[in-house]
Amino acid sequence: MSVLIGIDVGGTFTDFSCFDTDRGELFYYKVSSTPDDPSRAIVNGVKELLEQHGIDPLEISYLAHGTTVATNALIQKKGGKTGLITTKGFRDLLEIGRQTRPSLYELDKAGVPPIVPGKYRCEVGGRLLYDGSEHQPLDEAETRDVVRCLKREGITAVAVCTLFSFVNPSHEQRIEEILKEEFPEAYVSVSNRMSTSVVNAFLGPVMERYVTNFQDSIRSLGIKVSPYITQSNGSIISIQETKKCPVRTALSGPSAGVVAAEYVTSMCGIQNLITFDMGGTSADISLISGGGCRLSSEKLLEGYILRTPMIDIETVGAGGGSIAYIDNGGALKVGPQSAGASPGPAAYNRGGTQPTVTDANLLLGRLNPERILGGRMQVRRDLAEQALRRGICEKTGLDVIEAAKGVVAVVNSNMVRTTRIVSVERGYDVREFALVAFGGAGPLHACEIAGELGIRTVIIPPSPGTLCSLGLLAADIRYDYARTALLDVREEALQRISELFAGLEAEGRAFLDQEGVPEASRQFVRRIDARYKMQNYELSVPMEDGPVDLEKLLRAVEAFHLEHEKNYGYCNRTQ
């Protein structure tokens, strides 16, 4: 017997999908999450699942896990104590950023504070020019002094980013060597993208500790197989690769849901879909056009810019546990604050007293008024009613049913607005798409949202509340490699482009060798990030396989023009 298990840890529940390959049977399971230590819910759930179905731990041949640990660490600012080493004169780039205000008309509203405070942002002598030539050698003595100072300050993670390292990484590489000599216990992140490198370093100690505990917990159950972790691009990587680059798991959990939705709908012959994953704390919405997930090379997450491939997912604080309240102006608001798994919605009888979306759905008869989780969890309608009366009715004069309807209407409005961001605002006609609803709360709200948007088809897959964990069984091993080179579209650039792709594919082969992927199962996909001259943002377009010639490059340019027109309403073929 061979058994495959996918595990998705959410804010309220931890979900399991288990497939027995011999019998062709798929099992689902769900337990309450344990936010203080997510691995406890995983161990408890796996143990109960194996006992229920009489599965020997040695029969498990594959186990993958989607996690929100990196996301939560970033939200709660609970990462490692991080330092930064950069080129002299550039220590404040991290704080200056792009000088974009978080709110256009609130001049006194500050942006998110940088992860690395000023006193831990350190400069070292040495300078590379734009072409990669060395204008001034790295000051190794100063670098050692800086490293020793960070060590004395109790720093646990260090990010390294020097000027023009994407052309010539020699200074970064030497700083990394000095760190290993002087400060071997520090988590080190080296990158030519400062913000991404800093976030990666910040998450490093937390994720390293978590995935090690996760692996040990799985082994304690007698499971011998090495587990995988989901990346933000919807694929899986080993524990070792996760430790090296934890920033790749920043959207680990939601990406698995998109993969699962694409897998399920492909069997129905549907290629255009909007995925709608509404869980306990948030709703994650993505668009798939032509049967392929839309990947973003840059994402603003909790105010921090991440330059790493991610499935393009928009998240709104609208989940079953989202708290409803009356603001200072007397308006009904829902979220982004959530009751989470603890104390949870008032109806769960775990200490929650504030009204939530789940409480509203319960009062409207949209949920079983007595038990959920297949009858394993009791709910209290009276507690849900008390919460809405205290939190909303007494402040507005509404009766409890009107208040519940208002909560649902407001949260639906929030999700409709976010759905328009991934569709209408990017040049897509939502009427050409099906809405795939999943997550614990998604199907409850799907039809109303589809009706508001003019979507005619709603798909609810089997066991929608555990679909993200099913995505972990459908995910491929994948890794995205990127190199930066500023090149004009001309024949003289073909040789350089060929060299870059050859180098990237060599790295990919080494990675697939390490992961044990057979040659017959390997696939390499080329893409180019392109922009018009004087633009600051790129669009990603495919590049054909095989030798790079001018015709292929021009076809990629034409694909860019079309993508630019779709996204922005115009293109300029004269550039």
Side-chain angles (χ1 to χ4, degrees):
M1 181 187 288
S2 177
V3 175
L4 318 178
I5 297 180
I7 306 167
D8 177 64
V9 177
T12 307
F13 293 105
T14 295
D15 306 328
F16 302 82
S17 287
C18 178
F19 183 64
D20 184 334
T21 58
D22 288 352
R23 291 185 285 183
E25 293 182 351
L26 184 62
F27 313 113
Y28 304 105
Y29 199 62
K30 208 173 183 78
V31 298
S32 293
S33 294
T34 49
D36 59 311
D37 180 8
S39 64
R40 282 199 295 115
I42 294 173
V43 171
N44 294 339
V46 170
K47 190 184 298 182
E48 292 169 17
L49 187 64
L50 299 184
E51 289 173 356
Q52 280 189 14
H53 297 282
I55 299 171
D56 189 319
L58 296 177
E59 294 171 339
I60 297 173
S61 60
Y62 170 91
L63 189 146
H65 169 32
T67 174
T68 56
V69 170
T71 312
N72 292 340
L74 198 55
I75 292 171
Q76 299 167 12
K77 309 298 183 290
K78 292 183 178 178
K81 188 176 180 181
T82 307
L84 170 67
I85 299 176
T86 188
T87 303
K88 194 175 289 288
F90 292 89
R91 65 189 293 272
D92 291 326
L93 273 182
L94 192 65
E95 190 153 7
I96 296 169
R98 289 174 174 167
Q99 305 183 58
T100 304
R101 294 198 302 272
S103 181
L104 184 61
Y105 299 107
E106 295 181 75
L107 301 183
D108 59 341
K109 188 172 183 179
V112 294
I115 286 175
V116 183
K119 64 178 179 179
Y120 300 138
R121 299 197 297 264
C122 304
E123 301 174 332
V124 294
R127 182 67 179 266
L128 298 173
L129 300 182
Y130 72 96
D131 59 357
S133 60
E134 188 176 71
H135 176 68
Q136 179 185 353
L138 178 71
D139 190 330
E140 296 196 10
E142 186 175 25
T143 301
R144 290 186 186 277
D145 288 341
V146 161
V147 171
R148 290 166 184 162
C149 178
L150 291 174
K151 186 175 182 178
R152 288 194 301 270
E153 290 288 340
I155 293 295
T156 59
V158 181
V160 179
C161 187
T162 60
L163 200 64
F164 297 118
S165 58
F166 63 89
V167 183
N168 179 358
S170 60
H171 282 191
E172 284 187 352
Q173 290 169 350
R174 183 56 188 145
I175 293 171
E176 183 179 19
E177 290 171 358
I178 292 171
L179 276 161
K180 288 178 179 177
E181 294 167 9
E182 299 284 347
F183 197 3
E185 63 271 29
Y187 184 94
V188 178
S189 175
V190 178
S191 167
N192 51 56
R193 297 165 177 147
M194 183 179 283
S195 179
T196 306
S197 183
V198 166
V199 171
N200 193 61
F202 180 73
L203 297 175
V206 174
M207 285 300 294
E208 192 171 49
R209 185 165 57 250
Y210 174 72
V211 296
T212 300
N213 290 341
F214 167 62
Q215 188 171 39
D216 292 344
S217 299
I218 292 301
R219 286 175 177 166
S220 71
L221 295 174
I223 298 172
K224 301 300 182 184
V225 68
S226 296
Y228 290 95
I229 302 292
T230 320
Q231 296 189 89
S232 302
N233 64 7
S235 66
I236 53 173
I237 51 174
S238 65
I239 293 290
Q240 195 56 39
E241 287 297 323
T242 304
K243 291 178 182 178
K244 289 180 185 176
C245 199
V247 72
R248 289 179 177 268
T249 69
L251 288 178
S252 170
S255 67
V258 178
V259 172
E262 181 183 10
Y263 172 73
V264 169
T265 54
S266 67
M267 293 188 285
C268 307
I270 296 174
Q271 293 191 318
N272 290 344
L273 56 137
I274 295 172
T275 67
F276 171 50
D277 176 9
M278 185 178 179
T281 57
S282 65
D284 302 304
I285 300 166
S286 186
L287 181 142
I288 296 175
S289 177
C293 299
R294 181 186 173 100
L295 286 181
S296 172
S297 60
E298 180 176 297
K299 186 79 172 176
L300 188 68
L301 191 61
E302 292 303 311
Y304 303 110
I305 296 171
L306 304 183
R307 291 277 294 181
T308 184
M310 299 180 179
I311 292 179
D312 192 7
I313 298 172
E314 288 291 332
T315 300
V316 58
S322 293
I323 295 169
Y325 62 98
I326 305 299
D327 70 6
N328 293 335
L332 174 60
K333 297 290 182 68
V334 181
Q337 296 81 14
S338 173
S342 178
Y348 288 2
N349 195 22
R350 293 179 174 173
T353 58
Q354 294 178 290
T356 67
V357 174
T358 293
D359 296 315
N361 278 320
L362 188 71
L363 291 170
L364 293 173
R366 295 151 64 108
L367 286 173
N368 188 311
E370 296 179 357
R371 291 185 176 275
I372 58 174
L373 289 186
R376 290 185 290 117
M377 181 175 175
Q378 186 178 16
V379 291
R380 294 270 303 273
R381 190 183 190 282
D382 59 321
L383 295 180
E385 186 173 337
Q386 287 176 23
L388 260 77
R389 287 193 185 282
R390 281 195 303 265
I392 299 174
C393 299
E394 293 177 2
K395 299 176 182 179
T396 61
L398 296 171
D399 66 40
V400 72
I401 297 301
E402 289 174 331
K405 287 179 179 178
V407 170
V408 171
V410 170
V411 78
N412 284 346
S413 176
N414 294 342
M415 293 184 288
V416 165
R417 189 162 51 249
T418 304
T419 305
R420 287 198 173 106
I421 291 173
V422 304
S423 55
V424 177
E425 293 184 15
R426 292 176 185 169
Y428 294 95
D429 184 347
V430 290
R431 294 171 296 183
E432 298 174 358
F433 289 77
L435 185 70
V436 184
F438 53 99
L444 287 171
H445 298 259
C447 291
E448 291 162 299
I449 289 170
E452 180 73 20
L453 290 165
I455 296 174
R456 293 183 288 271
T457 303
V458 175
I459 298 173
I460 300 174
S463 190
T466 60
L467 192 74
C468 286
S469 61
L470 179 65
L472 294 159
L473 303 184
D476 290 323
I477 293 175
R478 167 177 166 172
Y479 213 85
D480 293 284
Y481 294 92
R483 289 289 179 276
T484 301
L486 302 178
L487 300 170
D488 290 332
V489 176
R490 58 180 63 176
E491 197 164 359
E492 292 83 351
L494 297 177
Q495 180 63 32
R496 179 60 177 149
I497 294 172
S498 297
E499 292 171 356
L500 289 166
F501 276 130
L504 292 170
E505 288 176 12
E507 289 185 64
R509 288 191 182 89
F511 167 72
L512 295 173
D513 288 340
Q514 175 187 307
E515 296 292 320
V517 177
E519 286 284 345
S521 301
R522 299 183 181 187
Q523 182 182 18
F524 296 88
V525 178
R526 297 175 174 179
R527 298 190 72 84
I528 287 178
D529 288 352
R531 58 180 167 88
Y532 293 123
K533 287 184 178 180
M534 308 304 291
Q535 278 188 322
N536 285 329
Y537 300 96
E538 297 84 16
L539 292 173
S540 181
V541 294
M543 180 74 179
E544 295 171 36
D545 202 1
V548 177
D549 56 36
L550 189 58
E551 288 186 4
K552 287 180 181 176
L553 184 58
L554 291 177
R555 283 195 287 272
V557 170
E558 178 59 23
F560 165 74
H561 289 313
L562 295 174
E563 188 68 17
H564 196 280
E565 189 168 25
K566 180 189 290 184
N567 279 265
Y568 301 111
Y570 74 98
C571 65
N572 185 354
R573 287 182 171 82
T574 63
Q575 282 206 31

